[in-house]
């Protein structure tokens, strides 16, 4: 792996992990679903405009449209929508840790649902991931964490896992930026009716809210996606996915730095175990690709 790919991978992990901290700031001052719908509307329009300027087409194949719709609904509307609602009562660090288990859930589902062979290293990683999550969940709930909010985060990562599995093998046909923009617009369209029907538009305006919203719209929402696609194109999806093992650590550190969220010994132990589990699963996949 060259230095540029390493830098891009670290940048992606940092941007992805920081999204939970900025989201926590937003939902403390604005309706969560409405804020997310607006974020997707802005990000989606920017992405589609840039894609059009680059000559990319919205005329996708049936498979591409199916993948775009599934991802727009499951990732953007369900996964992020549930997380934004949950983070009204759940700390950003815990939400980031739960979301970081997605690679483990994808590997587990591949084994249970698609009967994919699982190597001993990957099996050990799955066990480690379960133990790490159990440690953190137990300590947080004992400390008074909101069980309902935690449940929403869990349902969100399950929705993201379903989306990831549903679009396996689908390609953007060179229109990746257009596909990303359309996914965001689909997510926005799904979220607006929910927001209008259930939320009161009371907003605590501040400079902090404006910066957090602008950041989450442009950095995790748009820049991280572009970096991810470039990274996958440069080193492949399997090798790029190994950077996910950094997400639990970075999610906790960023939340502690910007939100002063407390980090206990069990959190650190659990995060280390989860990160090791994710790394083991991804390294197992990389070995399978090399041998193939």
């Amino acid at each position: 792996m060259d230095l540029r790919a390493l830098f891009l991978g670290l940048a992606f992990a940092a941007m992805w992990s920081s999204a939970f901290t900025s989201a926590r700031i937003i939902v403390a001052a604005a309706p969560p679903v409405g804020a997310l719908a607006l974020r997707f509307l802005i990000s989606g329009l920017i992405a589609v405009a840039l894609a059009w300027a680059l000559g990319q087409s919205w005329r996708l194949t049936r498979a591409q449209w199916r993948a775009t719709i599934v991802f727009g609904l499951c990732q953007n509307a369900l996964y992020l929508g549930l997380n934004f609602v949950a983070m009204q009562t759940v700390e950003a660090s815990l939400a980031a840790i739960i979301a970081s288990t997605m690679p483990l859930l994808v590997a587990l589902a591949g084994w249970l649902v698609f009967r994919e062979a699982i190597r001993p290293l990957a099996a050990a990683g799955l066990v480690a991931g379960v133990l790490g999550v159990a440690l953190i969940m137990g300590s947080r709930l004992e400390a008074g964490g909101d069980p309902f909010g935690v449940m929403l985060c869990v349902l969100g990562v399950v929705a993201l896992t379903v989306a990831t599995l549903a679009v396996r093998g689908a390609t953007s046909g060179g229109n990746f930026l257009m596909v990303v923009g359309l996914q965001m617009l689909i997510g926005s369209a799904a979220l607006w009716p929910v927001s209008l029907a259930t939320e009161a538009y009371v907003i605590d305006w501040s400079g902090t809210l404006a910066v957090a919203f602008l950041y989450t719209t442009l950095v995790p929402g748009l820049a991280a996606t572009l970096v991810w696609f470039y990274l996958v194109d440069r080193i492949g999806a399997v090798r790029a996915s190994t950077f996910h093992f950094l997400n639990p650590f970075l999610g906790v550190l960023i939340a502690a730095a910007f939100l002063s969220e407390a980090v206990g010994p069990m959190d650190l132990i659990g995060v280390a175990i989860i990160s090791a589990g994710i790394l083991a699963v991804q390294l197992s996949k990389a070995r399978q690709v090399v041998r193939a």
Side-chain angles (χ1 to χ4, degrees):
M1 186 181 300
D2 58 77
L3 288 178
R4 179 176 293 183
L6 178 62
F7 173 78
L8 290 173
L10 294 173
F12 165 76
M15 288 188 287
W16 188 93
S17 302
S18 69
F20 298 91
T21 293
S22 59
R24 176 77 167 162
I25 295 172
I26 292 168
V27 302
V33 179
L36 186 59
L38 181 60
R39 166 196 153 175
F40 281 139
L41 179 61
I42 297 173
S43 296
L45 290 175
I46 292 173
V48 168
L50 289 174
W52 180 79
L54 293 172
Q56 296 183 19
S57 172
W58 59 268
R59 295 176 181 174
L60 309 179
T61 66
R62 181 175 298 181
Q64 290 168 344
W65 271 117
R66 181 172 62 250
T68 300
I69 292 171
V70 169
F71 228 70
L73 293 176
C74 290
Q75 174 179 280
N76 296 338
L78 285 176
Y79 160 62
L80 286 172
L82 290 169
N83 269 275
F84 263 59
V85 173
M87 278 190 287
Q88 293 176 108
T89 57
V90 172
E91 292 184 325
S93 55
L94 180 55
I97 290 167
I98 295 173
S100 298
T101 62
M102 185 272 290
L104 300 175
L105 293 179
V106 169
L108 180 61
W111 176 48
L112 294 176
V113 178
F114 297 100
R115 304 300 180 187
E116 295 177 347
I118 184 167
R119 299 179 61 81
L121 181 60
L126 291 175
V127 173
V130 171
L131 291 176
V133 171
L135 282 174
I136 295 171
M137 291 284 199
S139 65
R140 292 294 182 97
L141 292 176
E142 285 182 5
D146 177 29
F148 181 70
V150 170
M151 183 188 71
L152 292 181
C153 290
V154 171
L155 291 176
V157 75
V158 169
L160 179 59
T161 301
V162 170
T164 302
L165 291 170
V167 301
R168 291 194 311 175
T171 64
S172 64
N175 294 323
F176 74 88
L177 186 54
M178 180 66 74
V179 168
V180 167
L182 293 173
Q183 288 172 356
M184 291 177 178
L185 293 179
I186 289 169
S188 179
L191 290 169
W192 276 120
V194 177
S195 175
L196 293 172
T198 62
E199 294 182 323
Y201 281 73
V202 178
I203 302 174
D204 183 13
W205 295 102
S206 68
T208 301
L209 173 61
V211 171
F213 184 81
L214 185 64
Y215 177 84
T216 197
T217 299
L218 299 179
V219 181
L222 200 56
T225 304
L226 296 177
V227 169
W228 173 253
F229 274 99
Y230 183 81
L231 186 65
V232 169
D233 183 64
R234 189 176 183 87
I235 64 175
V238 172
R239 296 179 68 189
S241 295
T242 58
F243 287 100
H244 279 293
F245 89 94
L246 293 171
N247 292 334
F249 275 113
L250 293 175
V252 169
L253 290 176
I254 293 171
F258 288 91
L259 301 178
S260 300
E261 292 187 0
V263 180
M266 297 305 292
D267 292 327
L268 295 177
I269 295 172
V271 163
I273 294 173
I274 294 170
S275 298
I278 295 172
L279 183 59
V281 169
Q282 299 301 342
L283 289 177
S284 178
K285 289 182 180 180
R287 290 181 182 178
Q288 286 180 315
V289 170
V290 169
R291 292 187 179 183

